Amino acid sequence: MAGSAGVSPRALPLLRQAPFAWLCALAAVGAVALGAAAAWRRRRARGELVRVGSVSELFIYPVKSCRGVSVQRAEVTRMGLRKGDLRDRRFGVHAEGRDCGDEAAQWITTFLNSKPYRMVHYETDMKTRKPVSFLPLFQPTDEVAYAEASPILLISEASLQDLNARLEKKIRITNFRPNIVVTGCASYEEDTWVEISIGQVRLKGRMCCPRCIFTKVDPDTGIMDKKEPLKTLKSYRKCDPSEQHAFKNDPPFGWLYGVDKTGTIQVGDPVYKIIC
């Protein structure tokens, strides 16, 4: 009957194999589709990475409001940068701390040529400060020792260059005491980085940093300028009206981050913006 239907008997084995071949092909297509869907879900979970620059400088500030120490590599902890015994802002604010003794107190009092001061050091078993208690844009999980509000402050070189183009007397990035300086991006582009990745470290943006009178102090000389850079910053850097209660009269410059994932970073590391 097969022959009478116009089908050669030799073709029958091929016809019998055809359904199996189609099933294999469909299975392969399905596997590819499932793999693509799984990859999409993974990308969605961790976010797409778009390179926006690279780390050009890293700073640790052992004593709050004093000059920082430039380092090539640092560990990013929940409470800021650390390199060996150097930890970020662990001395000298009104909070829990261990008194460093008479010798340290005498040294800092003599150096400042002022009334007597004591120096205290934060230790890991002490109570942390919660920025959310005075800045509602932070999360309850964010914590610091003596930093003003955030464990990490990031500024781009381009933002400083734009500011310096408006100033008669140029200033250095150290006036703003950033922890991470980024190169290779546009000025104020860091304002748009809600979440970033550097190596294994993930940082979540909380808010732009309100700048106070300490930005007028040259950290190398201790000399305070009468008006700059605050006067110029106030002329063109404005916060969102909805955040006026947090900034008051302070202009925004640089971005404050919470630490979502700890790890080690170093100068030269690429910086990626995470797009969810």
Side-chain angles (χ1 to χ4, degrees), residues 1-180:
M1 292 180 61
S4 65
V7 178
S8 169
R10 295 181 179 180
L12 288 175
L14 294 177
L15 289 174
R16 294 189 186 101
Q17 294 174 11
F20 179 74
W22 277 106
L23 287 174
C24 290
L26 288 172
V29 171
V32 171
L34 288 173
W40 179 84
R41 286 193 296 269
R42 288 194 298 270
R43 288 197 301 271
R44 186 178 181 185
R46 67 174 183 262
E48 295 286 356
L49 301 181
V50 178
R51 182 165 181 172
V52 292
S54 58
V55 177
S56 59
E57 294 183 276
L58 295 171
F59 293 95
I60 296 176
Y61 302 87
V63 181
K64 180 176 171 62
S65 300
C66 291
R67 185 170 65 182
V69 178
S70 176
V71 297
Q72 290 294 304
R73 182 183 178 92
E75 180 185 353
V76 180
T77 74
R78 296 285 180 188
M79 297 176 62
L81 299 190
R82 177 174 67 190
K83 183 176 178 63
D85 292 333
L86 282 178
R87 301 190 179 194
D88 198 67
R89 278 164 278 220
R90 297 297 179 96
F91 296 92
V93 75
H94 294 292
E96 283 191 8
R98 184 178 297 279
D99 191 289
C100 296
D102 293 339
E103 185 177 352
Q106 182 61 47
W107 181 88
I108 196 168
T109 299
T110 301
F111 180 82
L112 295 175
N113 191 26
S114 64
K115 63 181 182 180
Y117 280 97
R118 307 293 298 183
M119 181 175 285
V120 296
H121 176 255
Y122 174 85
E123 298 182 355
T124 54
D125 60 343
M126 294 178 177
K127 184 179 180 180
T128 59
R129 296 168 63 238
K130 298 288 187 178
V132 71
S133 64
F134 54 92
L135 288 173
L137 294 173
F138 282 81
Q139 298 297 313
T141 54
D142 294 327
E143 56 184 354
V144 293
Y146 302 147
E148 187 64 28
S150 170
I152 299 292
L153 169 61
L154 180 149
I155 302 177
S156 72
E157 290 183 353
S159 297
L160 178 68
Q161 290 167 3
D162 180 80
L163 171 60
N164 272 330
R166 305 166 189 265
L167 295 172
E168 292 184 10
K169 182 182 178 182
K170 311 304 180 189
I171 62 172
R172 296 195 300 161
I173 198 74
T174 48
N175 276 62
F176 297 99
R177 297 176 175 84
N179 298 110
I180 302 175

